[in-house]
């Protein structure tokens, strides 16, 4: 350390830089009987320095600079002082105004403001005070001594660090208690009636000091005192804090105010504020104390914004905040600044923010720090450039206004996409947290926005229902009407409210508060008068209550209750229902301390209950209509259906094949069951049981997806858009969930449907289930209706008996495959995905599995006809857009050696690429194309620009073809 100091001294000497040390000696004699003092203030320096010293409000008798006398009536002295000459001001002053915090009586002394010549520079103070014996005095000091002379005491305070101001407070009524912690003398100066609180305050003070030392650095001083004051104050000065006797017993004092004032010992009382460039210390202290120790931090942030919306207009930049002068300045300088430091920590991270605190304290201890200094520290520790952050939050007034709306949503292979538009009137660069509500829970996404208008593409794993933008109030922003809680802040902020009074003398103190407003009798009520206005109704029995709320409000209890004004944009209606003038006077005075509440209940002069009407949190956007789930018991929730499904071995989900919304719901159910019971398998009608080995190899990662599609004969056996099923298959592959191909070979089903079972070969017959039920007459009648729906073009070509046989073989094969699986895997549940026709009334698969295994299972149908007994659950889903399969726009025929183009669609990718009728497509992106399935598979995985090769007149021609 000595080496570092020597180096610095050498550096300063070498560069010619020097800093004057100013010593300020203040010698005071207090006359308590006359409420006055006489004093001499002497300013010395060790090197030349320009100073200003202010004497407003003081009776100056003499001003000496060295031996030279200066005029005594200037009020402010601007001069350059040197080591050779001292500046001395001899003055007196009277302090007898009980409405001022500067007062001298025979019982108490409070000198907090203009009681000595104020110096515009930091100085080392030595204070000597002569006062009546019996007084106990407190001032900024780590060490002090008291000498008693007859009936007078002389206090000598010394403070070894530079100070901005010095204060003096004293009384004969304090009882002093203390304890030691880590070399720090911790004290309480409490009045007799509150001495029982001393031990608790001492312990809590030590606790807070310990916690702050971990985050910031060692406590700045060797002493800290909690001093009970006769005024309702909450001030912190170096080495002590003042807390008013009226509030000292309130719980918020020891839990919120005390840590706030202790923290000021670091920020404000040792790292000083450069007031001319903005007071940052109040907001930082609020963030690290009041906010840090709050129980519900999200609501603290929201309440901070609500208070700003109520009081903070017109706004001004934080760089112009000097100190708290009213509720408006508090909402801006404390509240908004607190949120700025919260957002800063959210951006740079907890570790870097702790480093910032440490460097701010270490580098600026007993110096003045500005927002510019804070910005420079942040830039240095993050190795980044945060000019934008401080420019928008410190140098600019106001707050962001977000206009958010849903543009589109769809299901794609990588998940669900929700596109939202975000507009800002004045662009801010913001870290925007978005919460998406799904059937399975909440997904959090984070975006950065910085433009007037941006479109955000939100990708979610699960089906989105609602989006909440900034749900937890992590941005200091304007709120939408739906988010705003009707709270007392709005009641008190607008003194120009419309007041409806019944001339009841009880409410005189309340109507007096709103004397700037419009006072009306109930018979003068008009809806136009309350449009976009804050309204105050005096008395729960006031007829205006029923005009607005359509009913009476309680009248027996005493309360203040705030409602949203249904005729206002951001306005409230407040009902005061009180019993006496004294209660009304107490209420209008005390509710300012309970601004975040919507209802305050009184019993006499005590507050017995407080309530918050918390409305919507975050900007809420509806993405999709929630599915309607119906059972014979009525409307059900998704979770109810899932919990029911967990009690079954087999769950059947019947689909409408081409509806993406159905497959999204299937995936929801699979995920929900997997989350609670991971031992599941998924049986799929879409795959033939003969291709099980191919399915298994793909799920294990032994073959790629193109080979899987080719060898499983997906496009041959099923043909539907693979995008419909791909998210389900990918989820199963990711989680190791077995997929069971349930279906019979497509060729067998096709053959039977055309010519009946008798057309099958012996080898084909061997592939059929041994046991098949052809005599379920309810099913037969059902299938007759289905057969008839196909129209005459089908019924003329096929016999119903063949159709019936093919359907039963289809169902029996899937039922047998499912039964074999659950028998071999008794610990697994099987979720069967199939067309609704195989599930309805349990005719198809469910009854045939039950016949084989005894497992009844649970049946779920989607977007089907609601009929008695058709299924256990019916789900009606909202439309959902999905990915279309890519096409190049040609009609082709297979040649065995490529695809011959029979027709090219106008304006299609094929026409734009130059493909012509008669061309034979032989390769796509280097892959040989032998049949239509080869081309479908290649197109599925292609986009943008691709290479296609055709044969034309015996010659190969390469072309570039552009796909979406």
């Amino acid at each position: 350390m000595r080496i570092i100091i020597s180096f610095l001294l050498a550096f300063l000497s070498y560069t010619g830089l020097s800093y004057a040390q100013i010593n300020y000696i203040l010698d005071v004699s207090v006359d308590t009987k006359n409420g006055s003092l006489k004093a001499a203030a002497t300013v010395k320096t060790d090197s030349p320095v320009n100073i200003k010293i202010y004497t407003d409000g003081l009776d100056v008798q003499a001003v000496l600079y060295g031996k030279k006398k200066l005029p005594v009536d200037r009020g402010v002295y601007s001069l350059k002082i040197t080591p050779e000459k001292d500046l001395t001001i001899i003055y007196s002053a009277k302090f007898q105004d009980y409405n001022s915090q500067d007062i001298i009586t025979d019982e108490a002394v409070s000198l907090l403001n203009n009681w000595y010549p104020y110096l515009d520079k930091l100085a080392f103070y030595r204070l000597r005070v002569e006062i009546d014996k019996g007084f106990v005095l407190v001032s900024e000091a780590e060490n002090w001594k008291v000498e008693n002379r007859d009936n007078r005491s002389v206090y000598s305070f010394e403070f070894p660090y530079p100070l901005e101001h010095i204060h003096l407070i004293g009384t004969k009524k304090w009882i002093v208690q203390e304890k030691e912690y880590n070399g720090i003398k911790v004290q309480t100066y409490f009045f007799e009636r509150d001495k029982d609180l001393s031990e608790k305050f001492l312990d809590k003070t030590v606790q807070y000091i310990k916690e702050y030392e971990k985050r910031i650095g060692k406590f700045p001083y060797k002493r800290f005192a909690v001093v009970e004051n006769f005024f309702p104050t909450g001030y912190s000065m170096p080495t002590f804090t003042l807390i008013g006797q009226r509030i000292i017993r309130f719980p918020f004092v020891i839990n919120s105010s005390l840590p706030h004032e202790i923290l000021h010992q670091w920020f404000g009382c040792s790292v000083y504020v450069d007031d001319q460039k903005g007071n940052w210390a109040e907001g930082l202290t609020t963030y690290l104390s009041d906010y840090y120790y709050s129980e519900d931090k999200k609501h603290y942030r929201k309440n901070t914004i609500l208070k700003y919306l109520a009081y903070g207009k017109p706004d001004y930049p934080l760089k112009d905040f000097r100190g708290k002068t009213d509720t408006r300045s508090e909402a801006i300088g404390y509240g908004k600044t607190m949120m700025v430091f919260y957002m800063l920590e959210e951006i740079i991270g907890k570790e870097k923010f702790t480093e910032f605190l440490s460097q701010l304290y270490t580098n600026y201890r007993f110096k003045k720090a500005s927002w510019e200094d804070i910005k420079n520290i942040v830039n240095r520790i993050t190795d980044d450039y945060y000019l934008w952050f401080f420019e928008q939050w410190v140098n600019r007034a106001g707050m962001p206004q977000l206009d958010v709306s849903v543009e589109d949503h769809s299901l794609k292979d990588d998940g669900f996409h929700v596109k939202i538009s975000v507009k800002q009137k004045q662009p801010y660069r913001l870290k925007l947290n978005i919460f998406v509500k799904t059937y399975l829970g909440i997904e959090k996404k984070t975006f950065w926005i910085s433009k007037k208008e941006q479109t955000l593409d939100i990708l979610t794993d699960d089906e989105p229902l609602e989006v909440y933008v900034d749900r937890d109030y992590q941005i200091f922003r304007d709120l939408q009407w739906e988010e705003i809680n009707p709270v007392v802040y709005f009641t008190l902020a607008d003194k120009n409210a419309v007041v409806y009074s019944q001339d009841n003398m009880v409410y005189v103190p309340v109507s007096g508060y709103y004397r700037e407003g419009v006072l009306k009798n109930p018979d003068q009520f008009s809806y136009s008068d309350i449009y976009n206005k804050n309204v105050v109704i005096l008395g729960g029995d006031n007829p205006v209550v029923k005009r607005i709320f359509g009913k009476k409000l309680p009248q027996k209890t005493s309360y203040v209750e705030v409602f949203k004004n249904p005729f206002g944009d951001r306005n409230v209606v407040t009902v005061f229902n009180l019993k006496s003038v004294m209660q009304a006077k107490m209420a209008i005075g005390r509710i300012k301390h309970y601004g975040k509440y919507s209802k305050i209940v009184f019993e006499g002069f005590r507050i017995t209950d407080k309530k918050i009407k918390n409305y919507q949190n975050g900007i809420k956007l509806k993405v999709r209509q929630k599915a309607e789930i119906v059972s014979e018991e009525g409307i059900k929730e998704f979770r109810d259906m899932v919990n029911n499904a967990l009690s079954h071995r087999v769950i059947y989900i019947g689909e409408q094949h081409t509806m993406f919304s159905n497959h999204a719901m299937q995936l929801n159910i699979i995920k929900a069951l997997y989350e609670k019971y991971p031992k599941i398998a998924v049986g799929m009608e879409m795959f033939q049981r003969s291709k099980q080995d191919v399915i298994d190899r793909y799920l294990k990662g032994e073959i790629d997806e193109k080979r899987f599609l080719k060898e499983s004969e997906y496009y041959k056996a099923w043909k539907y858009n693979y995008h419909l099923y791909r998210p389900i298959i990918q989820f199963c592959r990711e989680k190791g969930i077995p997929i069971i191909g349930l279906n019979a070979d497509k060729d067998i089903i096709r053959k039977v449907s055309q010519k009946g079972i008798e057309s099958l070969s012996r080898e084909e017959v061997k592939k059929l289930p041994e046991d098949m039920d052809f005599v379920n007459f309810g099913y037969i009648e059902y299938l007759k209706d289905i057969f008839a729906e196909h129209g005459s073009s089908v019924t003329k070509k096929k016999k119903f008996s063949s159709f019936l046989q093919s359907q039963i073989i289809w169902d029996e094969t899937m039922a047998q495959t499912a039964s074999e699986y659950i028998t071999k895997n008794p610990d697994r549940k099987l979720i069967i995905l199939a067309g609704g026709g195989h599930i309805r009334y349990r005719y198809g698969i469910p009854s045939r599995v039950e016949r084989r295994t005894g497992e009844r299972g649970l049946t779920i149908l989607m977007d089907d006809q609601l009929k008695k007994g058709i299924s256990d659950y019916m789900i009606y889903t909202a439309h959902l857009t999905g990915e279309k399969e890519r096409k190049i726009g040609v009609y082709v025929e297979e040649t065995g050696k490529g695809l011959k183009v029979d027709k090219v669609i106008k304006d299609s990718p094929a026409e734009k690429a130059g493909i012509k009728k008669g061309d034979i497509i032989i390769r796509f992106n280097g892959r040989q194309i032998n049949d239509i399935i080869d081309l479908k598979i290649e197109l599925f995985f292609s986009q943008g620009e691709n290479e296609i090769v055709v044969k034309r007149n015996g010659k190969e021609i390469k072309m570039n073809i552009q796909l979406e």
Side-chain angles (χ1 to χ4, degrees), residues 81-138:
I81 61 173
T82 64
E84 294 78 23
K85 298 178 182 178
D86 298 342
L87 175 66
T88 300
I89 299 175
I90 299 171
Y91 70 97
S92 62
K94 285 192 174 183
F95 300 102
Q96 299 172 335
D97 183 359
Y98 283 84
N99 293 317
S100 167
Q101 292 180 0
D102 290 328
I103 189 167
I104 297 173
T105 74
D106 56 358
E107 291 188 350
V109 172
S110 176
L111 299 172
L112 304 179
N113 296 308
N114 298 328
W115 68 281
Y116 69 97
Y118 169 67
L119 181 65
D120 71 338
K121 295 284 192 301
L122 296 176
F124 291 83
Y125 282 83
R126 282 191 294 163
L127 173 63
R128 179 181 175 277
V129 182
E130 182 181 308
I131 196 168
D132 296 342
K133 194 173 180 179
F135 267 84
V136 176
L137 298 183
V138 176

Side-chain angles (χ1 to χ4, degrees), residues 311 487-493 510 513-514 559-562 574-576 578 583-597 599-602 607 610:
Y311 291 106
V487 291
V488 170
Y489 291 142
F490 297 103
T491 299
L492 297 179
V510 181
Y513 181 87
Y514 294 100
Y559 59 86
V560 177
E561 186 167 5
V562 190
T574 306
V575 177
F576 286 80
L578 303 168
Q583 191 181 56
K585 184 177 180 181
M586 175 275 299
I588 199 67
R590 287 188 65 185
I591 61 174
K592 65 183 178 183
H593 299 297
Y594 300 91
K596 66 181 181 180
Y597 293 99
K599 185 174 184 179
I600 304 169
V601 180
F602 302 93
I607 293 175
K610 307 179 292 292

Side-chain angles (χ1 to χ4, degrees), residues 653-657 685 782 834-841 861 864:
I653 310 176
E655 66 183 44
Q656 306 294 330
H657 295 312
E685 177 194 7
Y782 166 75
H838 299 285
I839 309 298
R840 295 184 192 122
Y841 301 104
L861 288 176
D864 212 325

Side-chain angles (χ1 to χ4, degrees), residues 387-396 427-430:
L387 175 64
W388 61 270
F389 181 88
F390 293 93
E391 183 64 34
Q392 69 184 23
W393 291 118
V394 177
N395 297 336
R396 189 199 299 186
Y428 283 73
R429 185 175 174 183
L430 304 172

Side-chain angles (χ1 to χ4, degrees), residues 7-188:
F7 169 80
L8 288 174
L9 290 172
F11 175 78
L12 293 173
S13 175
Y14 174 79
T15 57
L17 294 173
S18 62
Y19 297 93
Q21 175 174 312
I22 301 174
N23 295 304
Y24 194 129
I25 302 164
L26 188 57
D27 202 335
V28 181
S29 177
V30 178
D31 183 350
T32 59
K33 290 182 180 179
N34 294 309
S36 63
L37 61 78
K38 295 179 180 179
T42 301
V43 180
K44 301 172 178 282
T45 180
D46 63 356
S47 59
V49 62
N50 291 314
I51 66 166
K52 285 185 179 180
I53 196 162
Y54 300 84
T55 59
D56 288 335
L58 304 178
D59 184 8
V60 178
Q61 278 91 49
V63 180
L64 301 173
Y65 181 48
K67 295 181 179 180
K68 181 181 179 181
K69 290 185 177 180
L70 300 179
V72 298
D73 56 353
R74 287 186 181 175
V76 57
Y77 296 84
S78 299
L79 67 160
K80 183 175 185 179
I81 61 173
T82 64
E84 294 78 23
K85 298 178 182 178
D86 298 342
L87 175 66
T88 300
I89 299 175
I90 299 171
Y91 70 97
S92 62
K94 285 192 174 183
F95 300 102
Q96 299 172 335
D97 183 359
Y98 283 84
N99 293 317
S100 167
Q101 292 180 0
D102 290 328
I103 189 167
I104 297 173
T105 74
D106 56 358
E107 291 188 350
V109 172
S110 176
L111 299 172
L112 304 179
N113 296 308
N114 298 328
W115 68 281
Y116 69 97
Y118 169 67
L119 181 65
D120 71 338
K121 295 284 192 301
L122 296 176
F124 291 83
Y125 282 83
R126 282 191 294 163
L127 173 63
R128 179 181 175 277
V129 182
E130 182 181 308
I131 196 168
D132 296 342
K133 194 173 180 179
F135 267 84
V136 176
L137 298 183
V138 176
S139 185
E140 288 84 347
E142 289 188 326
N143 297 297
W144 65 97
K145 63 181 180 179
V146 184
E147 297 179 23
N148 292 315
R149 302 173 183 173
D150 298 329
N151 62 342
R152 301 282 281 176
S153 296
V154 178
Y155 277 78
S156 298
F157 299 97
E158 289 193 15
F159 193 70
Y161 307 108
L163 277 171
E164 290 184 293
H165 306 280
I166 195 165
H167 308 82
L168 182 66
I169 188 164
T171 182
K172 295 179 178 180
K173 297 183 177 182
W174 281 326
I175 296 172
V176 183
Q177 297 187 41
E178 65 181 54
K179 71 187 304 181
E180 195 84 11
Y181 160 70
N182 199 23
I184 304 167
K185 184 183 291 186
V186 181
Q187 300 175 303
T188 57

Side-chain angles (χ1 to χ4, degrees), residues 632-647:
E632 289 191 356
E633 297 175 356
I635 303 295
K636 294 291 182 180
E637 292 293 326
F638 177 78
R639 64 178 178 272
D640 298 329
M641 180 182 67
V642 169
N643 288 334
N644 190 358
L646 287 167
S647 65

Side-chain angles (χ1 to χ4, degrees), residues 75-333:
V76 57
Y77 296 84
S78 299
L79 67 160
K80 183 175 185 179
I81 61 173
T82 64
E84 294 78 23
K85 298 178 182 178
D86 298 342
L87 175 66
T88 300
I89 299 175
I90 299 171
Y91 70 97
S92 62
K94 285 192 174 183
F95 300 102
Q96 299 172 335
D97 183 359
Y98 283 84
N99 293 317
S100 167
Q101 292 180 0
D102 290 328
I103 189 167
I104 297 173
T105 74
D106 56 358
E107 291 188 350
V109 172
S110 176
L111 299 172
L112 304 179
N113 296 308
N114 298 328
W115 68 281
Y116 69 97
Y118 169 67
L119 181 65
D120 71 338
K121 295 284 192 301
L122 296 176
F124 291 83
Y125 282 83
R126 282 191 294 163
L127 173 63
R128 179 181 175 277
V129 182
E130 182 181 308
I131 196 168
D132 296 342
K133 194 173 180 179
F135 267 84
V136 176
L137 298 183
V138 176
S139 185
E140 288 84 347
E142 289 188 326
N143 297 297
W144 65 97
K145 63 181 180 179
V146 184
E147 297 179 23
N148 292 315
R149 302 173 183 173
D150 298 329
N151 62 342
R152 301 282 281 176
S153 296
V154 178
Y155 277 78
S156 298
F157 299 97
E158 289 193 15
F159 193 70
Y161 307 108
L163 277 171
E164 290 184 293
H165 306 280
I166 195 165
H167 308 82
L168 182 66
I169 188 164
T171 182
K172 295 179 178 180
K173 297 183 177 182
W174 281 326
I175 296 172
V176 183
Q177 297 187 41
E178 65 181 54
K179 71 187 304 181
E180 195 84 11
Y181 160 70
N182 199 23
I184 304 167
K185 184 183 291 186
V186 181
Q187 300 175 303
T188 57
Y189 289 68
F190 284 0
F191 298 128
E192 173 71 29
R193 68 164 198 170
D194 296 317
K195 67 179 181 180
D196 60 303
L197 298 176
S198 288
E199 191 66 30
K200 189 175 181 180
F201 269 79
L202 290 171
D203 290 342
K204 275 294 201 178
T205 298
V206 170
Q207 175 192 324
Y208 293 135
I209 289 174
K210 282 181 180 178
E211 291 178 7
Y212 288 136
E213 283 188 329
K214 290 176 184 177
R215 293 197 72 184
I216 305 167
K218 187 171 175 57
F219 189 75
Y221 305 115
K222 295 178 181 177
R223 174 247 192 161
F224 182 75
V226 182
V227 180
E228 187 174 6
N229 191 15
F230 10 85
F231 294 110
T233 55
Y235 296 141
S236 191
M237 294 81 167
T239 71
F240 72 98
T241 183
L242 296 177
I243 297 178
Q245 63 179 339
R246 292 183 184 177
I247 63 171
I248 200 164
R249 286 188 173 271
F250 288 135
F252 74 83
V253 171
I254 197 166
N255 295 322
S256 178
S257 302
L258 180 62
H260 182 106
E261 303 306 335
I262 291 172
L263 186 59
H264 265 312
Q265 297 301 300
W266 280 270
F267 300 121
C269 294
S270 58
V271 177
Y272 300 124
V273 174
D274 189 342
D275 280 328
Q276 297 307 308
K277 298 179 180 178
N279 183 341
W280 49 265
E282 294 297 350
L284 179 58
T285 305
T286 301
Y287 176 51
L288 295 176
S289 58
D290 307 59
Y291 172 79
Y292 183 80
Y293 289 106
S294 63
E295 293 182 1
D296 190 332
K297 291 178 171 52
K298 178 175 79 173
H299 280 105
Y300 191 102
R301 295 192 296 270
K302 184 175 185 179
N303 289 331
T304 297
I305 296 171
L306 289 170
K307 188 171 185 178
Y308 172 87
L309 293 177
Y311 291 106
K313 305 294 178 66
D315 190 13
Y316 52 80
L318 295 185
K319 65 183 179 64
D320 295 336
F321 171 66
R322 301 291 179 260
K324 177 182 173 182
T325 56
D326 53 20
T327 316
R328 171 172 164 249
S329 60
E330 181 185 18
I332 296 169

